[in-house]
Amino acid sequence: MKLKDKVAIVTGAASGFGRGIAELYVREGARVCVADINGQGARDVAQSLGDAAIHTAADVAKADDVAAMVAETVDAFGGVDIMVNNAGYTHKNGPMLDVTEAEFDRIYDVNVKSLFFAAKVVVPEMEKRGGGVIITTASTAGVRPRPGLVWYNGSKGAAITITKSMAVELAPKKIRVCAINPVAGETGMLADFMGEDTPERRAQFTGTIPLGRFSQPSDIANAALFLADPASEFLTGICIEVDGGRCV
């Protein structure tokens, strides 16, 4: 098992990419904190994973929630080796000027400010373990942005730059920092990404992906396992496009 005896926190883990990551991590020997703003959903996932998982209701845009999430994990499992910043938020695909200030703030709080909150509390815990891995779910939107998701694109561009900056600064502490850039995937946010969920709209989106399909939770989970695996100890600052060729 590639993650035997490792302890991980996965945010946004009640569904979608986060759930896929949490499930794969447990299968590979990790103990996992399943964190989500949907507390009942997090509970359901954790219960399905057995004694290797705990759950917590956490809004990653709130510093106190993030601190409590990390503290609960340390209390339950003794530390933190892997932090997966997966929780995300978007506005509906449409004209940039139609996005409200409240929507803009929520996007940046969840997609960007949460990285600051998590780092403040998880880095000291990783130092106690002699190192660790921080993985952020960014997006191809931060690499090849397109109209309709302007403010979301910007937030993911920030996440990518933060990932690279943190990687350099935290390297002396043996903390690796990487990102995964999924193409649009089969998650709860897909309809917002497309603007509307119709066969025609789906065909339009998949037509831009050379491998011809949306990403699946298993695709992202496999990348998250690869980056967390101790065998990847010389990889840091990389942002992997899991996109079926979308960014080529």
Side-chain angles (χ1 to χ4, degrees):
M1 292 188 289
K2 295 179 178 179
L3 300 182
K4 183 175 172 56
D5 298 326
K6 298 296 184 182
V7 177
I9 299 172
V10 183
T11 66
S15 62
F17 296 155
R19 178 170 187 164
I21 294 168
E23 291 174 343
L24 182 57
Y25 276 13
V26 168
R27 290 200 298 272
E28 290 291 338
R31 290 166 291 170
V32 176
C33 174
V34 178
D36 203 285
I37 195 170
N38 175 2
Q40 185 58 54
R43 179 190 299 271
D44 292 343
V45 172
Q47 288 179 343
S48 75
L49 296 176
D51 294 339
I54 61 170
H55 76 278
T56 186
D59 180 347
V60 297
K62 296 180 179 179
D64 289 346
D65 280 18
V66 175
M69 172 184 75
V70 173
E72 289 174 30
T73 305
V74 172
D75 288 344
F77 298 135
V80 181
D81 301 294
I82 305 161
M83 176 75 224
V84 182
N85 295 304
N86 172 74
Y89 190 78
T90 186
H91 56 87
K92 188 173 182 178
N93 192 306
M96 57 180 280
L97 299 184
D98 289 351
V99 175
T100 68
E101 182 178 357
E103 288 174 315
F104 178 92
D105 287 343
R106 184 64 180 167
I107 290 162
Y108 275 80
D109 284 348
V110 174
N111 296 353
V112 182
K113 198 170 185 179
S114 66
L115 307 182
F116 169 76
F117 290 150
K120 293 281 280 187
V121 289
V122 82
V123 167
E125 293 299 333
M126 289 181 173
E127 286 188 87
K128 296 175 186 177
R129 310 275 275 192
V133 187
I134 299 172
I135 301 169
T136 294
T137 302
S139 174
T140 55
V143 182
R144 291 194 66 189
R146 291 293 180 267
L149 291 169
V150 168
W151 310 116
Y152 172 80
N153 296 342
S155 74
K156 291 304 185 177
I160 290 168
T161 299
I162 288 169
T163 293
K164 295 180 178 182
S165 300
M166 286 176 60
V168 175
E169 183 160 333
L170 296 179
K173 301 178 186 294
K174 304 302 179 186
I175 297 173
R176 299 188 293 111
V177 190
C178 300
I180 300 169
N181 295 330
V183 75
E186 296 282 3
T187 72
M189 293 198 298
L190 181 59
D192 285 332
F193 287 141
M194 295 190 298
E196 57 179 351
D197 192 351
T198 65
E200 295 77 15
R201 195 66 167 153
R202 281 177 173 250
Q204 181 181 351
F205 268 69
T206 56
T208 68
I209 302 170
L211 287 182
R213 66 169 174 85
F214 291 117
S215 64
Q216 300 291 331
S218 60
D219 298 317
I220 310 312
N222 287 332
L225 174 62
F226 169 71
L227 292 173
D229 187 342
S232 297
E233 66 177 0
F234 202 55
L235 299 181
T236 194
I238 65 170
C239 303
I240 299 178
E241 277 82 56
V242 183
D243 66 350
R246 172 70 178 85
C247 289
V248 174

